[in-house]
Amino acid sequence: MRLHSIRPIHWYVAVVSATGLALAVALPATQGLTHIESAPGQFWLFVAFLVLGEMVPVKVPRSNEDVEISTAATFGFALLVAFGPGPAALAHGLATLVADLSRRKPWWKAGFNASQYAISVAVAGSVLALTGVPHAGMPPAFGPADIPGIMAAGAVFFLVNHTLTQAA
C-alpha cells in the first residue's frame, strides 16, 4: 500500500490510537494505581458498571436507524474523579476493549475506542488539576468550591470524547 493511497480517516484513526495508547500506558505508570487500595469495593463496582455500560448500549431510534448510546462514559468519569486518571484510563480502556472485541468489532476500531477514552480522561484530569479539585483517591474532601472544577472537567471529558468520535 502506498502512502498517498491511505485515506485521511486512516491517518486520523492512527494518530488518535497512537496518542491514546501512549496515554493509556503513561497515565497508570506516572500516576500509579495505588488509589484503588483506598476503596477497592467502590472501584470494582464502578468498573462493573463501566463494563456493563459498554456491553449493553441503549438503542435510540433516529431517522431511519438506531443509534447506540453508551452509559459507560458516566462511570468512567466517576472513576476519574474518585480514583484519578491512571485507574480511570486503565479501566475505561480495558472495558472498551472487552466489549468491542466480544462484539467482534475490528481490532483497529476497538483500539480507537479505547484510545479516545484515554485521551478524554487525560484532558479532563488536567482540568481537575488546573481547577484545584482535591487529588483523586484522597478521602472525600470535595466541597461546594470544587463543583465548578468537577463540572468543567465533566464538560471537557464529554466534549473531547464526542468530538473524537464525531470527527471520525
Side-chain angles (χ1 to χ4, degrees), residues 10-156:
H10 295 138
W11 287 110
Y12 177 75
V13 168
V15 168
V16 169
S17 297
T19 303
L21 178 61
L23 287 168
V25 170
L27 287 173
T30 60
Q31 311 256 319
L33 301 174
T34 57
H35 299 307
I36 297 170
E37 296 169 4
S38 66
Q42 292 171 336
F43 175 79
W44 290 111
L45 182 62
F46 277 124
V47 170
F49 284 132
L50 178 59
V51 171
L52 185 63
E54 285 291 341
M55 296 291 290
V56 186
V58 177
K59 293 189 180 196
V60 178
R62 188 184 299 166
S63 300
N64 295 334
E65 64 180 331
D66 285 342
V67 176
E68 288 187 355
I69 298 173
S70 171
T71 60
T74 303
F75 299 105
F77 182 72
L79 281 168
L80 169 64
V81 172
F83 296 96
L90 186 63
H92 231 321
L94 291 176
T96 302
L97 287 173
V98 166
D100 285 353
L101 295 176
S102 72
R103 284 183 283 193
R104 294 185 163 80
K105 287 188 179 181
W107 64 268
W108 63 266
K109 193 169 192 175
F112 176 85
N113 290 340
S115 295
Q116 84 186 31
Y117 283 126
I119 293 169
S120 300
V121 163
V123 175
S126 297
V127 171
L128 286 174
L130 290 172
T131 57
V133 173
H135 193 282
M138 299 303 262
F142 302 119
D146 300 313
I147 292 172
I150 293 171
M151 289 179 63
V156 166

Side-chain angles (χ1 to χ4, degrees), residues 1 139 155:
M1 181 185 300

